[in-house]
Amino acid sequence: QMLGMPTSAIINLKDYKSKAPLPKRDGILFLTYAMLRSQQQNGSFDRVNQIIDWVGKHFDGAMIFDECQNMRNGLSAVHSDSNASMSKQAQAGIMLQDMLPDSRVVYCSATGSTLIENLAYMVRLGLWGNGTPFSDVHQFMETFEESGLSGLEAITAHIKAAGQMVCRQLSMSGVTHTELLHVMSPADIELFDSYS
């Protein structure tokens, strides 16, 4: 309703079986990451195919990944000696983005990336591939893997300068606080020291 749409415009994917066609009407399709990663016996992502059938291959609307950090582990092993494997959620999310190349993608997260490899599912940022110095995500990660936090800061500065990232914080307007001083007794200090 805040978007000026009736709640009937929201189509919850859980209300439909994986092989059932979705209603052909405008609206907002809502699903969880667990639903997105659901697979058939042959390993294909049935919900991804269901979404593609609903929107069509030339869909140019918005695809919003809220709490997108749920798709981390989107990088299959860069090195052969690594045990890292791509999560099913990341696989399905990347597949959906690849199969709908005209869609507009928004990644929303209040959880900052702490590792560069956690950016691997963000295939639409243009950090690797055509028009970049890196042919694919693996070359990008290999280049930045040794740089740690400073590498993440450089990437963040780049995507902020390009207008691809917006950082917000909650307003402190109207927030008040009161200082509460707790004087520790000798028993409190002894207990604190023992726990420390």
Side-chain angles (χ1 to χ4, degrees):
Q1 289 175 338
M2 291 183 342
L3 296 173
M5 300 174 69
T7 53
S8 60
I10 298 175
I11 302 166
N12 194 337
L13 194 59
K14 76 174 184 162
D15 296 337
Y16 299 88
K17 293 189 183 293
S18 62
K19 296 193 185 205
L22 298 173
K24 291 291 183 188
R25 62 181 169 88
D26 290 340
I28 298 170
L29 182 64
F30 172 82
L31 63 144
T32 64
Y33 288 102
M35 292 185 88
L36 183 64
R37 74 172 183 244
S38 65
Q39 292 180 293
Q40 295 177 353
Q41 293 284 11
N42 65 4
S44 67
F45 293 103
D46 51 350
R47 294 297 191 171
V48 169
N49 294 326
Q50 188 179 31
I51 293 166
I52 303 294
D53 289 343
W54 183 62
V55 299
K57 293 187 180 194
H58 300 290
F59 174 69
D60 64 355
M63 187 185 322
I64 301 172
F65 291 102
D66 193 22
E67 300 295 339
C68 62
Q69 74 275 1
N70 283 293
M71 291 190 294
R72 65 188 175 274
N73 300 328
L75 186 66
S76 54
V78 173
H79 301 296
S80 57
D81 60 346
S82 170
N83 292 325
S85 62
M86 191 182 299
S87 72
K88 299 292 184 203
Q89 286 176 175
Q91 283 179 11
I94 292 170
M95 180 183 292
L96 188 61
Q97 293 174 74
D98 288 346
M99 293 178 75
L100 296 173
D102 298 329
S103 65
R104 292 157 175 123
V105 177
V106 177
Y107 306 108
C108 301
S109 178
T111 307
S113 292
T114 54
L115 299 170
I116 289 176
E117 54 263 27
N118 286 343
L119 301 176
Y121 65 86
M122 296 184 178
V123 297
R124 294 297 183 85
L125 288 181
L127 298 174
W128 54 84
N130 290 337
T132 73
F134 312 103
S135 61
D136 59 23
V137 65
H138 296 290
Q139 187 183 30
F140 175 81
M141 296 299 164
E142 286 174 350
T143 301
F144 281 95
E145 70 181 345
E146 299 297 324
S147 60
L149 189 57
S150 62
L152 273 173
E153 288 173 350
I155 294 165
T156 302
H158 168 75
I159 59 179
K160 282 181 82 172
Q164 295 173 296
M165 181 173 90
V166 177
C167 296
R168 300 275 190 248
Q169 74 179 48
L170 296 176
S171 169
M172 299 302 283
S173 176
V175 173
T176 60
H177 72 278
T178 303
E179 188 175 290
L180 179 62
L181 183 63
H182 175 76
V183 179
M184 295 177 72
S185 69
D188 291 337
I189 293 170
E190 185 179 338
L191 183 63
F192 181 85
D193 288 346
S194 68
Y195 279 129
S196 297

